[in-house]
Amino acid sequence: MSLPLSLSKDKIRIVLLEGIHPRAVEVFREHGYTNVESLSSTLADRSLVKKIGDAHMVGIRSRTQISPGVLEGVNKLIAIGCFCIGIDQVSLEDAAAKGIPVFNAPHSNTRSVAEMVIGLTIMLLRDIFPKSLAAHRHEWKKSKGSSYEVRGKTLGIVGYGHIGSQVSILAEAMGMRVVYHDIQTKLPLGNARSVDSLDSLLEIADVVTLHVPEDESTRKMMTGEKLGRMKGSACLINASRGGVVDLEALADALKSGRLRGAAIDVFPREPGSSGEYFASPLIGQENVILTPHIGGSTLEAQENIGAEVANTLVYFSDRGATEGAVNFPAVNLQPNEHTHRILHIHENKPGMLKAINEKVANRDINVLGQYLETRRQIGYVVLDVDPEVSRQLLQELRVELTGIDGTIRTRVLY
Ligand code: NAI
């Protein structure tokens, strides 16, 4: 189950599926990982197991299913990289139980979403979408009465996290006034101003843009009642998650002229693949821009994702760092340039640390640093030990540590 002591990097086999951006391969090579196979397609079940059965790391996107059955068939896998945002395609707890951390890239497309929101803001305030549709129908709708500059208008950002705060910077650069509401205390950027409630934000914003996760507190956050609190001339943008807005209520508010317009990129039910039938109560409404969940879909974002996930896999392989793993105890580690490093993954139960330390002490090995982190059923101990300890002694210790009841995997970075 574990890598031999310091397997040389060219022997670490990495398989990438689903046409992951070539930047990922470059990152691996820059760090000495030359044994990388990159396929453009996905694989399933038996052919997937055959391909990754002896791989040490695998990179996938959203279509490759790493099921419990697939995990049973892999022997050497130490890490999985999801080169995307979603992680539903991997059996996360089964992977954790096998000592396999799973990494993704939740924020690589932040800028792409923020840029699209700014574009949509301008398009909504200028009525560009209905005017363009009319031109496509041979109609010349050259009115200026309902068009506005964004300069001086108030943008209300709900959720001031990675994307919301980027939108804030871009909007201010165009002369917009920015107010935001977040359930956490967030430092304002530039001249942005925090408001203490969603209602206060809705009452003053000319454009409201949502950048919250979908959870209990945000599901159908924009009800008919909330939409009713918005200024009559205001627009709503949702490029967060589909469940955050009550679309029936939004359709009613737009039909009745309560709201000026909306741009919606995410939907409660989205087609599974390109070209599939799409239905929404907003279809056919004037000044409603509908986009197929493309806020984060740019080539730059794909490149960022390639680099970000490849780097996390490299850091895990080189140092044992698990920060950013979605199913694993998070340990942020610097390179062990002046120590040997022992990584011990085990079942999270009492007495493991004591058992590990006893084995190390019995061998008279000086410990220079120790880290322990646990998450659900998994414990992760990292020991930095005296660099003078011989390879032979480390090998013997590794066998002893692997023999501790409850051990899932032991690695030694020599
Ligand atoms: P983030 O986690 O960095 O920020 C979310 C913010 O929302 C946090 O500051 C959090 O405190 C705040 N928040 C949570 N519950 C709240 C509530 N009830 N009221 C007010 N604030 C609340 O997330 P990030 O990266 O900015 O993403 C935001 C959303 O955008 C997520 O739903 C994400 O899934 C979505 N997204 C959509 C994309 C697209 O293609 N349209 C692409 C990437 C992300």
Side-chain angles (χ1 to χ4, degrees), residues 380-400:
Y380 186 33
V381 166
V382 179
L383 292 172
D384 280 348
V385 300
D386 190 342
E388 300 302 320
V389 175
S390 71
R391 197 180 175 92
Q392 174 64 27
L393 187 51
L394 277 178
Q395 180 63 47
E396 288 168 16
L397 177 64
R398 187 174 73 92
V399 172
E400 281 188 14

Side-chain angles (χ1 to χ4, degrees), residues 139-346:
E139 292 169 29
W140 194 245
K141 282 206 166 172
K142 191 177 157 54
S143 63
K144 48 187 172 292
S146 59
S147 289
Y148 300 92
E149 289 185 348
V150 297
R151 180 171 50 169
K153 303 297 176 300
T154 300
L155 180 67
I157 301 174
V158 184
Y160 206 62
H162 287 80
I163 298 173
S165 55
Q166 272 283 321
V167 172
S168 172
I169 293 169
L170 298 178
E172 281 209 326
M174 296 194 305
M176 294 191 84
R177 276 196 282 263
V178 175
V179 293
Y180 66 88
H181 170 64
D182 200 295
I183 47 167
Q184 288 177 17
T185 305
K186 298 275 172 160
L187 209 62
L189 298 174
N191 294 318
R193 187 166 59 85
S194 162
V195 291
D196 57 6
S197 71
L198 176 60
D199 287 354
S200 327
L201 179 142
L202 297 176
E203 282 157 19
I204 55 176
D206 297 301
V207 178
V208 173
T209 181
L210 307 174
H211 299 291
V212 291
E214 185 173 340
D215 60 22
E216 314 257 285
S217 78
T218 60
R219 207 157 291 128
K220 294 230 170 143
M221 163 189 246
M222 292 305 289
T223 54
E225 190 264 321
K226 295 290 178 207
L227 294 167
R229 286 185 180 272
M230 290 173 66
K231 286 162 92 171
S233 55
C235 300
L236 177 73
I237 299 175
N238 185 20
S240 62
R241 280 289 173 262
V244 172
V245 179
D246 180 341
L247 287 189
E248 302 285 348
L250 177 62
D252 288 346
L254 289 160
K255 260 184 224 153
S256 65
R258 264 290 304 125
L259 289 182
R260 174 191 166 90
I264 306 293
D265 185 47
V266 287
F267 301 86
R269 273 184 306 282
E270 296 181 0
S273 58
S274 207
E276 265 182 40
Y277 182 77
F278 165 68
S280 166
L282 298 171
I283 284 176
Q285 298 224 30
E286 283 277 294
N287 215 13
V288 177
I289 303 172
L290 301 176
T291 46
H293 202 149
I294 50 165
S297 307
T298 62
L299 282 178
E300 288 85 351
Q302 285 308 313
E303 185 173 347
N304 290 343
I305 288 171
E308 187 179 331
V309 181
N311 272 312
T312 54
L313 290 172
V314 165
Y315 294 153
F316 177 64
S317 177
D318 281 359
R319 313 174 183 175
T322 51
E323 208 186 22
V326 292
N327 64 339
F328 217 74
V331 183
N332 182 10
L333 297 163
Q334 294 308 306
N336 56 315
E337 280 161 6
H338 307 296
T339 65
H340 297 318
R341 182 167 284 170
I342 299 166
L343 312 171
H344 192 268
I345 302 168
H346 50 260

